[in-house]
Amino acid sequence: MRVLVVEDEVRLAGTLRDLLEMDGWAVDVCHDGESGLDNALSGIYDVVLLDVMLPRMDGFTVLHRLRAGGSAVPVLMLTARSEVSDRVAGLDSGADYYLTKPFEPKELLACVRALSRRQPELRRGDTLSFGDLRLERAAFTLSCAERSVRLSRKEFDMMELLMLNQRQILTKESLLLKIWGYESDAEDNNVEVYISFLRKKLGHLHSRVKIRTIRMVGYCLEGGE
Ligand code: CA
């Protein structure tokens, strides 16, 4: 059983690691939000401990993007701030539990154990399918029959969103928001660039699936029949 700790205060992160390891967990630590998100999306963790105030990407954004990416890993948010509005924001964005610092080690361990036992019924399968395509979430690969290609992080995020929203039109704005986040200065043409990368990969796979452009609106998949 493996826990990911995303905490920028190095001493506290070390304390959490020691505490969890003594309780029998395998522990990985990240000190910023971006690497925390990348690791959390790997799908290898049973529980994620997530600080709110983090460099590079705050905990709420990490959580939002983790859920947008289809991960249902139990998340325990940790923060020094105890305001009610933070608690609400945390739960709204898909946190399973919220603990304010300083916390009792026993309470923290009890929370982690309880969350790890939670049935992962909401967890989606490790493979998404559409038409002749399969997206392997653990390996970041897209396959069609015998061919497969590895996707970059953003290509993967985009393909996953398209597959999770089959037959819906995804606007450029929603793709930008879900993939690049609220604080990014990415623009519409970032979306176009990644759509063109994905189209090249679909061509390479000889898939019948196409990414259709709906002018002035967005994108959707076709060829799933
Ligand atoms: Ca912090």
Side-chain angles (χ1 to χ4, degrees):
M1 301 288 268
R2 186 168 280 271
V3 181
L4 176 66
V5 174
V6 190
E7 169 62 67
D8 60 317
E9 290 164 50
V10 174
R11 273 185 61 187
L12 177 57
T15 304
L16 287 167
R17 179 199 287 276
D18 293 347
L19 197 60
L20 288 159
E21 282 180 351
M22 280 194 293
D23 204 41
W25 295 86
V27 183
D28 293 322
V29 174
C30 293
H31 296 299
D32 70 82
E34 265 180 24
S35 61
L37 176 64
D38 277 348
N39 280 280
L41 280 167
S42 68
I44 65 171
Y45 297 101
D46 300 288
V47 179
V48 175
L49 266 58
L50 182 60
D51 185 26
V52 172
M53 300 296 284
L54 287 165
R56 297 179 137 234
M57 189 188 291
D58 70 82
F60 292 131
T61 308
V62 171
L63 183 57
H64 175 78
R65 292 172 70 168
L66 187 60
R67 296 299 184 232
S71 170
V73 63
V75 172
L76 170 57
M77 293 207 84
L78 300 174
T79 183
R81 296 189 290 173
S82 55
E83 289 88 347
V84 171
S85 60
D86 273 2
R87 284 177 183 265
V88 171
L91 296 172
D92 269 359
S93 52
D96 297 285
Y97 202 79
Y98 210 100
L99 215 53
T100 49
K101 301 176 199 169
F103 43 77
E104 283 294 317
K106 274 186 184 167
E107 187 185 5
L108 176 94
L109 291 174
C111 268
V112 172
R113 277 188 232 117
L115 287 175
S116 71
R117 281 194 298 266
R118 188 170 282 191
Q119 281 303 310
E121 54 204 335
L122 290 175
R123 196 168 295 173
R124 299 195 185 101
D126 290 334
T127 306
L128 290 175
S129 301
F130 182 84
D132 54 14
L133 284 180
R134 289 186 320 283
L135 183 66
E136 309 284 345
R137 290 166 134 177
F140 281 60
T141 54
L142 187 63
S143 328
C144 174
E146 299 306 307
R147 291 167 189 260
S148 75
V149 287
R150 203 176 144 81
L151 301 183
S152 72
R153 168 88 256 164
K154 295 223 177 338
E155 290 169 346
F156 173 86
D157 288 347
M158 195 166 279
M159 197 65 212
E160 189 180 47
L161 281 169
L162 287 163
M163 290 174 94
L164 286 171
N165 296 279
Q166 301 180 1
R167 291 164 225 284
Q168 284 179 48
I169 298 169
L170 282 171
T171 62
K172 279 186 188 172
E173 292 71 31
S174 70
L175 286 167
L176 263 180
L177 195 63
K178 285 181 170 154
I179 296 170
W180 279 269
Y182 290 98
E183 285 154 28
S184 158
D185 50 10
E187 292 171 10
D188 282 9
N189 70 345
N190 292 54
V191 174
E192 289 160 24
V193 166
Y194 280 91
I195 289 283
S196 76
F197 290 163
L198 280 177
R199 282 181 171 143
K200 278 194 190 123
K201 293 196 168 172
L202 291 176
H204 172 78
L205 291 171
H206 300 299
S207 171
R208 279 180 284 109
V209 174
K210 302 260 183 284
I211 300 172
R212 186 171 160 214
T213 303
I214 289 99
R215 247 174 75 81
M216 314 298 282
V217 183
Y219 304 95
C220 66
L221 291 180
E222 63 180 16
E225 300 74 29

